[in-house]
């Protein structure tokens, strides 16, 4: 089949699956629904493999809007970036589908879960394939919706419902900025929103368009607006608060959405619009700064977390910070490369954590585990591989991608380089802590001592992913599969960067091992990190202040206008008029006579003064 | 010298006094008397106009005929009115105008 | 001199008219009204309306006011006590009177036709009027130089307004019957 229909299939098949699950849910059983969902994921994966390495092409699936002044359609771009990303999304998506067959086997509403998963696949595919900003925005929102459905899958638990709401609202704030960016570009380029048209509008030369002549502040505004969308979706500071709470969702969800695909959408979008971002020096600096800061911030918070999924969540935040920083430093390809490798080993870690939780009967606190090295060897092995990849051990995929980013930082901005190096040290420190406490030593509880290996259907994806975690950084894998071809030149100081990163890994790991081996409770007790720097409390306070202020204002306005003007004023008028009218019917003779006299005076006035004038 | 306007002014002031009395007093009989005063003021106006309008050398007697009729009718009205007041007094035992409020509503 | 008399009688009329309104005792009010009517009759006479002036005294001051006094006596009405809460009517009355007076003054100011003085009577010319041809008593008086007011009045009434006279007569009859009916006591009341 030709490429247009292949792309249409990838995009619409999950939507069809989700719809049919929605409709058929009450008629057929869980088994049929699960089959539909997994089958659609498999078909999409196969199709995207076929599409790898194809010629870059764009096309239109459906004309969405076609009015004078705005022309947007549901189209697609199929180039190296989107094909590679497609591969990651469908591959990890398929693995998560298979894994969930095992993990969610005892859940009550599996059909709903798989339906939401298919919905998510549809939305994410839309973002990857989008060829204009409007389409990307539409699917951006759909991804937010799918994330809400999935995080809040166990919505009877209040904390899960709260977390889903928090995720959606925080994303909305970012999306507001995204919208402003899109509108700025729309206005500045006289009505263009597709990537190709914007690029053309921006280019210098004989065909330069209005965007080329736009003033600097317009480009900065557009760039920052677009970046806001990434801040929300990829959970950068200050909109990072939703990601740790999103761990309330089932672990496969965390693996798919919050490790590999959805949060990476922000980085993907930034790389897509990087031709706009580079126009504004200020915006690039801000992006790099926020990225670097998020990386450090999240790593500090991760040092004191006790829930295994929270640790992984903060580590995701930290790595996302690296990717965003890379984009801000002008090394977007390095950011995409890290996204690519990170997807594999982070998904591996999450699924492994899921296996651990499953083994310990849904226990998530690492201080209640222990000795799992002997109880669940396969899980331990894959988890360790994932950890080493994340830490950036030389030879693992993570090493290559992280080194790219550090190299770019060293090249561009010195203090970002040192903060990133320190973050790498912290990363290896807290990951070592996690592994040592959970897997080494003696079992600390009953559940941990009775832990057993997860079923094969859950372990197989782990094994598959660990292969990718090791080898995805190498040349023979990259090129075809990879999302971006990294630049081969590393500039000067290449050796220095490598030395620093290796040193960071070794020091951090050694420190972690030394502090935590054989301990039963945490020797470090840093409240600030453990309480996430109290950011949630600050936000709650700010929201409360604004809400109270707004309520006060509205109450005031209501009591003056609605109450007073509309309700009480007519009532008062009616009362007064009634009283006056009643006085005329008093029954008092003198009153009547007085009225008679008044009428007489009025008549005389009219006859003598008014009439003669005419 | 005395002009028509003088007589008219006197009549006007008399009428005003009568009007004030009708509105201000409480005793029905007093009100009635002020009413008569107002009627007389009107009569004065009419008579003044007859005298000052002499088409054939003598005053115009049409208006004086009107005055004649007015006086007659006023007398009849006073009689009937007083009879009503007497009946009212029998019913209410008071001639204050405040006790007659049947027109209320 | 006549203007002095006019002012005098006008003053009497108005002052005693005010007295009617201000007097507390109804009998005093009635008496004031009588004197006011006398002044008014004098004003009528000054306007050469002898018949009307006499009628005023006879009917108004003589019959109507006597009737008033009879009723006051019959109902044994005491002087009005000064009760509280009577401010509003008084204020209203004064307001009305003042405003009306102001309006009268304003209107009369612009009434140019009223500025002429008392026109002279041309009695000789009136004697030549055609409708007086068959009235020797009137024409003789006119030629003699005196105004036969009552006779001319009678002529006008019976020649020009006979129907009105009949109707007024009927009115008086109706009035009499009405008064009798109204003042009758209930039969039941008498027997009880």
């Amino acid at each position: 089949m030709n490429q247009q229909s292949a792309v249409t299939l990838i995009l619409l098949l999950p939507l069809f699956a989700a719809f049919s699950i929605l409709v058929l849910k009450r008629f057929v059983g869980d088994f049929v629904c699960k089959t539909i969902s997994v089958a659609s994921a498999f078909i999409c994966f196969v199709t995207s493999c076929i599409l790898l390495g194809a010629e870059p092409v764009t096309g239109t699936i459906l004309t969405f809007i076609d009015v004078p002044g705005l022309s947007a359609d549901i189209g697609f771009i199929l180039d190296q970036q989107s094909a590679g990303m497609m591969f990651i999304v469908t591959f990890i998506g398929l693995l998560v589908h298979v894994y969930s067959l095992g993990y969610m086997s005892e859940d009550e509403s599996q059909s709903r879960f798989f339906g939401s998963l298919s919905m998510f696949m549809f939305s994410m595919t839309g973002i990857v394939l989008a060829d204009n900003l409007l389409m990307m925005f539409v699917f951006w929102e759909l991804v937010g919706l799918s994330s809400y459905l999935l995080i809040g899958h166990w919505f009877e638990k209040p904390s899960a419902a709260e977390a889903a709401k928090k995720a959606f609202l925080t994303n909305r704030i970012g999306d507001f900025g995204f919208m402003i960016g899109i509108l700025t570009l729309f206005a500045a380029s006289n009505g263009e929103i597709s990537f190709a048209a914007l690029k053309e509008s921006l280019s210098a030369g004989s065909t330069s368009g209005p965007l080329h002549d736009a003033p600097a502040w317009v480009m900065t505004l557009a760039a920052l607006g677009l970046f806001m969308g990434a801040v929300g979706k990829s959970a950068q500071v200050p909109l990072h608060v939703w990601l740790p709470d999103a761990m309330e969702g089932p672990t496969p969800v965390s693996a798919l959405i919050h490790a590999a695909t959805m949060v990476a959408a922000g980085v993907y979008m930034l790389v897509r619009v990087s031709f706009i971002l580079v126009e504004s020096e200020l915006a690039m600096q801000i992006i790099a700064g926020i990225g670097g800061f998020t990386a450090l911030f999240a790593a500090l918070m991760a040092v004191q977390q006790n829930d295994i999924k929270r640790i992984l969540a903060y580590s995701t935040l930290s790595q996302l910070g690296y990717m965003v920083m890379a984009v801000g430093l002008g090394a977007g390809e390095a950011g995409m490369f890290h996204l690519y490798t990170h997807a594999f080993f982070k998904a591996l870690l999450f699924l492994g954590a899921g296996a651990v939780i499953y083994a310990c009967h849904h226990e998530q606190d690492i201080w209640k585990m222990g000795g799992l090295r002997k109880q669940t060897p396969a899980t331990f092995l894959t988890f360790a591989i994932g950890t080493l990849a994340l830490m950036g051990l030389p030879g693992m995929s993570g090493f290559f991608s992280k080194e790219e980013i550090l190299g770019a930082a060293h090249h561009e901005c010195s203090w970002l380089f040192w903060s990133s190096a320190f973050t790498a040290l912290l990363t290896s420190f807290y990951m070592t802590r996690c592994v040592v406490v959970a897997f080494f030593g003696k079992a600390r509880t009953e559940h941990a001592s009775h832990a057993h290996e997860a079923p094969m259907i859950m372990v197989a994806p782990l094994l598959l992913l660990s292969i990718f975690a090791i080898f995805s950084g190498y040349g023979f894998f990259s090129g075809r599969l990879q999302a971006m071809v990294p630049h081969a030149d590393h500039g000067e100081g290449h050796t220095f960067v490598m030395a620093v990163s290796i040193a960071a890994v070794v020091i951090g790991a050694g420190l972690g091992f030394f502090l935590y081996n054989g301990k039963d409770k945490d020797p470090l007790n840093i409240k600030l990190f453990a309480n996430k720097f109290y950011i949630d409390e600050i936000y709650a306070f700010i929201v409360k202040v604004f809400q109270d202020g707004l309520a006060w204002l509205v109450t005031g306005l209501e009591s003056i206008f609605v109450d007073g003007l509309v309700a009480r004023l007519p009532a008062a008028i009616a009362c007064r008029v009634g009283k006056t009218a009643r006085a005329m019917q008093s029954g008092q003779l003198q009153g009547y006579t007085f009225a008679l006299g008044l009428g007489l005076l009025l008549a005389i006035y009219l006859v003598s003064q008014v009439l003669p004038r005419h | 010298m005395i002009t028509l306007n003088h007589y008219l002014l006197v009549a006007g002031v008399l009428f005003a006094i009568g009007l004030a009395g009708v509105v201000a007093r409480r005793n029905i009989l007093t009100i009635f008397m002020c009413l008569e005063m107002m009627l007389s003021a009107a009569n004065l106006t009419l008579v003044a106009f007859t005298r000052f309008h002499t088409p054939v050398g003598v005053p115009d007697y049409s208006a004086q005929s009107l005055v004649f009729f007015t006086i007659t009718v006023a007398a009849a009205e006073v009689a009937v009115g007083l009879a009503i007041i007497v009946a009212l007094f029998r019913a209410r035992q008071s001639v204050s105008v405040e006790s007659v409020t049947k027109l209320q509503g | 001199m006549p203007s002095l008399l006019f002012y005098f009688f006008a003053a009497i009329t108005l002052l005693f008219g005010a007295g009617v309104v201000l007097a507390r005792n109804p009998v005093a009010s009635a008496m004031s009204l009588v004197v006011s009517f006398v002044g008014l009759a004098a004003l009528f006479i000054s306007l050469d309306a002898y018949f009307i002036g006499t009628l005023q005294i006879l009917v108004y001051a003589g019959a109507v006011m006597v009737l008033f006094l009879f009723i006051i006596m019959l109902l044994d009405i005491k002087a009005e006590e000064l009760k509280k809460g009577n401010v509003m009517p008084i204020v209203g009355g004064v307001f009305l009177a003042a405003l009306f007076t102001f309006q009268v003054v304003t209107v009369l100011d612009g009434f140019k036709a009223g500025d002429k003085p008392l026109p002279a009577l041309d009695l000789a010319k009136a004697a030549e009027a055609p409708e007086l041809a068959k009235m020797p008593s009137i024409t003789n008086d006119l030629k003699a130089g005196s105004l036969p007011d009552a006779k001319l009045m009678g002529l006008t009434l019976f020649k020009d307004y006979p129907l009105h006279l009949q109707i007024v007569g009927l009115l008086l009859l109706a009035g009499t019957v009405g008064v009798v009916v109204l003042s009758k006591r209930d039969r039941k009341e008498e027997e009880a």
Side-chain angles (χ1 to χ4, degrees):
Chain A
M1 49 181 164
N2 69 338
Q3 280 158 343
Q4 167 118 359
S5 51
V7 171
T8 314
L9 178 70
I10 296 186
L11 182 63
L12 293 180
L13 185 60
L15 178 66
F16 175 70
F19 254 4
S20 46
I21 290 178
L22 174 72
V23 167
L24 296 174
K25 207 161 56 126
R26 66 178 76 226
F27 302 121
V28 303
D30 284 338
F31 183 70
V32 175
C33 297
K34 287 192 286 190
T35 315
I36 294 177
S37 183
V38 176
S40 83
F42 183 69
I43 295 175
C44 289
F45 171 62
V46 167
T47 317
S48 77
C49 287
I50 295 173
L51 284 171
L52 280 173
E55 294 300 314
V57 69
T58 65
T60 307
I61 297 176
L62 177 70
T63 307
F64 192 43
I65 297 176
D66 193 8
V67 298
L70 174 63
S71 164
D73 49 8
I74 308 289
F76 64 91
I77 296 182
L78 202 56
D79 59 3
Q80 173 96 45
Q81 187 184 1
S82 66
M85 189 77 187
M86 216 46 245
F87 172 73
I88 296 180
V89 168
T90 49
F91 179 51
I92 299 189
L94 175 63
L95 288 178
V96 164
H97 274 80
V98 170
Y99 184 89
S100 308
L101 285 174
Y103 189 82
M104 304 286 284
S105 57
E106 290 145 23
D107 198 71
E108 302 165 347
S109 32
Q110 292 176 58
S111 310
R112 181 159 58 92
F113 183 75
F114 278 95
S116 306
L117 271 183
S118 295
M119 188 74 197
F120 174 80
M121 294 301 289
F122 163 65
S123 320
M124 192 67 208
T125 312
I127 291 186
V128 171
L129 291 172
D131 76 337
N132 62 60
L133 280 170
L134 184 66
M135 176 184 170
M136 187 175 256
F137 188 73
V138 168
F139 282 99
W140 195 267
E141 298 290 342
L142 279 174
V143 163
L145 173 70
S146 314
S147 162
Y148 172 80
L149 289 173
L150 285 166
I151 296 175
H153 177 71
W154 290 317
F155 59 83
E156 295 95 0
K157 212 161 52 137
S159 56
E162 284 294 322
K165 230 180 1 180
K166 189 174 183 178
F168 195 72
L169 288 174
T170 318
N171 263 307
R172 281 306 272 161
I173 299 177
D175 294 342
F176 175 65
F178 194 20
M179 198 73 212
I180 291 183
I182 295 178
L183 290 172
T184 313
L185 283 174
F186 181 70
S189 66
N190 285 348
E192 304 289 352
I193 50 167
S194 76
F195 294 121
L198 284 171
K199 222 179 237 175
E200 195 180 303
S201 183
L202 193 56
S203 63
S206 57
T207 58
S208 75
L211 210 52
H212 182 68
D213 306 317
W217 66 268
V218 168
M219 296 309 285
T220 307
L221 181 66
L224 286 177
L226 294 172
F227 178 56
M228 273 298 277
V231 166
K233 193 66 80 187
S234 298
Q236 302 295 298
V237 168
L239 294 177
H240 66 283
V241 289
W242 65 272
L243 191 53
D245 284 13
M247 297 300 125
E248 295 286 339
T251 311
V253 167
S254 306
L256 178 63
I257 296 186
H258 306 127
T261 46
M262 181 177 119
V263 293
V267 180
Y268 178 82
M269 185 266 288
L270 283 177
V271 174
R272 253 290 180 244
V273 300
S274 55
F275 63 93
I276 304 246
L277 299 176
V278 298
E279 294 291 325
S280 166
E281 193 59 40
L282 179 66
M284 294 291 272
Q285 284 170 347
I286 291 179
I287 292 174
I290 289 186
F293 181 67
T294 304
L296 182 61
F297 199 62
L300 285 173
M301 287 196 275
V303 165
Q304 284 289 293
Q305 297 298 319
N306 295 326
D307 183 338
I308 190 170
K309 282 175 71 173
R310 293 278 153 110
I311 298 176
L312 293 175
Y314 282 107
S315 131
T316 308
L317 277 176
S318 185
Q319 300 304 307
L320 286 169
Y322 271 128
M323 292 178 224
V324 169
M325 182 178 76
V327 172
L329 291 171
E333 297 87 4
M336 279 304 287
F337 185 29
H338 194 57
L339 188 155
Y340 176 72
T341 56
H342 171 266
F344 292 120
F345 56 70
K346 194 45 74 65
L348 168 63
L349 283 171
F350 265 107
L351 292 181
V356 165
I357 294 171
Y358 181 84
C360 297
H361 289 281
H362 293 279
E363 177 58 64
Q364 294 183 236
D365 191 342
I366 55 174
W367 294 102
K368 297 204 172 71
M369 303 175 190
L372 290 176
R373 181 162 56 123
K374 300 196 181 61
Q375 309 270 29
T376 60
T379 311
F380 168 66
L381 185 63
T382 51
F383 199 87
I385 291 175
T387 310
L388 292 173
L390 173 58
M391 289 186 338
L393 199 70
M396 297 286 189
S397 61
F399 172 68
F400 292 108
S401 57
K402 199 180 277 191
E403 201 215 342
E404 288 280 332
I405 298 180
L406 286 174
H410 179 69
H411 188 60
E412 300 285 335
C413 175
S414 182
W415 68 269
L416 271 177
F417 169 68
W418 287 111
S419 108
S420 310
F422 182 60
T423 308
L425 191 151
L426 285 175
T427 306
S428 64
F429 174 72
Y430 65 70
M431 285 314 293
T432 313
R433 167 180 179 262
C434 178
V435 170
V436 163
V437 170
F439 289 94
F440 283 68
K442 298 195 302 295
R444 294 189 192 91
T445 62
E446 275 297 311
H447 282 220
S449 59
H450 291 142
H452 55 91
E453 195 69 73
M456 199 55 199
I457 198 169
M458 288 169 63
V459 172
L462 295 177
L463 293 170
L464 195 55
L465 279 173
S466 51
I467 297 176
F468 273 87
I470 300 175
F471 292 113
S472 62
Y474 287 98
F476 56 83
F477 253 79
S478 63
R480 275 194 150 221
L481 293 179
Q482 196 177 302
M484 284 287 197
V485 178
H487 289 299
D489 57 0
H490 304 295
E492 72 279 4
H494 170 65
T495 329
F496 175 64
V497 166
M498 202 154 65
V500 167
S501 64
I502 294 179
V505 169
V506 168
I507 296 174
L511 211 58
F513 193 80
F514 175 66
L515 268 179
Y516 287 98
N517 193 19
K519 299 279 194 317
D520 272 337
K521 64 181 202 45
D522 203 335
L524 290 179
N525 200 5
I526 308 174
K527 273 275 187 305
L528 188 63
F529 297 164
N531 286 331
K532 305 169 284 179
F533 286 89
Y534 300 107
I535 296 248
D536 278 326
E537 285 78 9
I538 295 175
Y539 281 173
F541 177 72
I542 292 177
V543 168
K544 177 178 181 309
V545 164
F546 271 106
Q547 195 165 336
D548 283 348
L550 190 66
W552 173 85
L553 188 69
V554 169
T555 310
L557 282 177
E558 199 210 351
S559 75
I560 294 177
F561 288 112
V562 177
D563 228 10
L565 215 54
V566 176
R568 277 184 285 152
L569 189 63
I573 290 179
C575 198
R576 197 122 296 271
V577 168
K579 276 199 191 134
T580 315
R582 195 174 43 179
M584 288 202 291
Q585 291 286 322
S586 60
Q588 298 286 339
L589 183 66
Q590 290 170 309
Y592 293 149
T593 318
F594 181 75
L596 194 150
L598 273 182
L600 176 71
L601 295 180
L602 184 65
I604 295 177
Y605 171 73
L606 284 174
V607 166
S608 65
Q609 303 290 344
V610 176
L611 283 182
R613 287 203 198 119
H614 293 288
Chain B
M1 71 193 74
I2 308 301
T3 63
L4 176 58
N5 280 350
H6 286 79
Y7 283 100
L8 293 181
L9 185 65
V10 168
V13 176
L14 195 62
F15 186 89
I17 295 174
L19 189 58
V22 167
V23 174
R25 295 303 302 252
R26 260 194 304 231
N27 195 328
I28 293 187
L29 282 167
T30 317
I31 291 176
F32 218 177
M33 283 189 255
C34 296
L35 212 58
E36 294 308 310
M37 219 157 66
M38 285 158 80
L39 271 171
S40 309
N43 288 343
L44 178 60
T45 312
L46 279 168
V47 172
F49 272 117
T50 58
R51 181 63 181 85
F52 280 83
H53 180 246
T54 52
V56 284
V58 287
D60 187 356
Y61 282 97
S62 332
Q64 282 200 12
S65 314
L66 183 56
V67 172
F68 177 83
F69 290 132
T70 307
I71 293 180
T72 315
V73 170
E77 167 223 334
V78 165
V80 175
L82 285 176
I84 294 178
I85 291 178
V86 165
L88 201 67
F89 181 80
R90 285 203 198 122
R92 304 253 183 247
Q93 312 306 319
S94 144
V95 281
S96 167
V97 79
E98 279 155 4
S99 65
V100 187
T101 53
K102 278 291 188 182
L103 277 171
Q104 185 171 32
Chain C
M1 270 322 174
S3 55
L4 181 67
L5 282 178
F6 165 79
Y7 284 123
F8 175 67
F9 284 116
I12 286 188
T13 309
L14 292 177
L15 281 174
F16 282 94
V20 174
V21 175
L22 296 173
R24 199 76 59 72
N25 198 331
V27 175
S29 292
M31 294 281 98
S32 301
L33 193 57
V34 171
V35 179
S36 178
F37 281 156
V38 168
L40 201 58
L43 282 176
F44 284 155
I45 305 251
S46 81
L47 283 168
D48 288 328
Y50 313 120
F51 182 66
I52 298 296
T54 317
L55 208 62
Q56 174 89 358
I57 301 280
L58 280 179
V59 172
Y60 255 116
V64 169
M65 292 320 295
V66 168
L67 191 56
F68 262 108
L69 284 166
F70 270 160
I71 298 300
I72 293 176
M73 196 182 64
L74 179 67
L75 301 182
D76 195 14
I77 299 174
K78 309 281 193 296
E80 208 172 276
E81 296 103 34
L82 191 67
K83 270 192 260 186
K84 297 184 291 282
N86 202 30
V87 183
M88 275 311 294
I90 292 179
V91 166
V94 169
F95 168 72
L96 279 180
L99 212 57
F100 184 77
T101 313
F102 172 71
Q103 281 188 327
V104 166
V105 168
T106 315
V107 168
L108 288 180
D109 237 358
F111 188 44
K112 293 292 172 280
D115 265 338
K116 58 175 191 247
L118 217 57
L121 292 174
D122 193 352
L123 298 172
K125 177 161 161 241
E128 309 299 326
E131 61 262 11
L132 292 180
K134 298 233 177 87
M135 303 267 153
S137 60
I138 297 178
T139 45
N140 287 343
D141 276 335
L142 281 175
K143 290 200 181 99
S146 70
L147 180 67
D149 189 62
K151 293 179 187 167
L152 281 168
M153 185 71 180
L155 176 67
T156 314
L157 269 179
F158 285 97
K159 187 157 83 67
D160 294 330
Y161 309 112
L163 180 60
H164 309 67
L165 270 179
Q166 308 297 328
I167 294 177
V168 166
L170 273 176
L171 181 77
L172 285 173
L173 176 64
T176 313
V177 171
V179 168
V180 168
V181 165
L182 276 171
S183 12
K184 252 177 26 153
R185 287 180 189 267
D186 263 334
R187 280 276 169 77
K188 297 195 191 105
E189 227 179 282
E190 273 189 359
E191 280 156 23

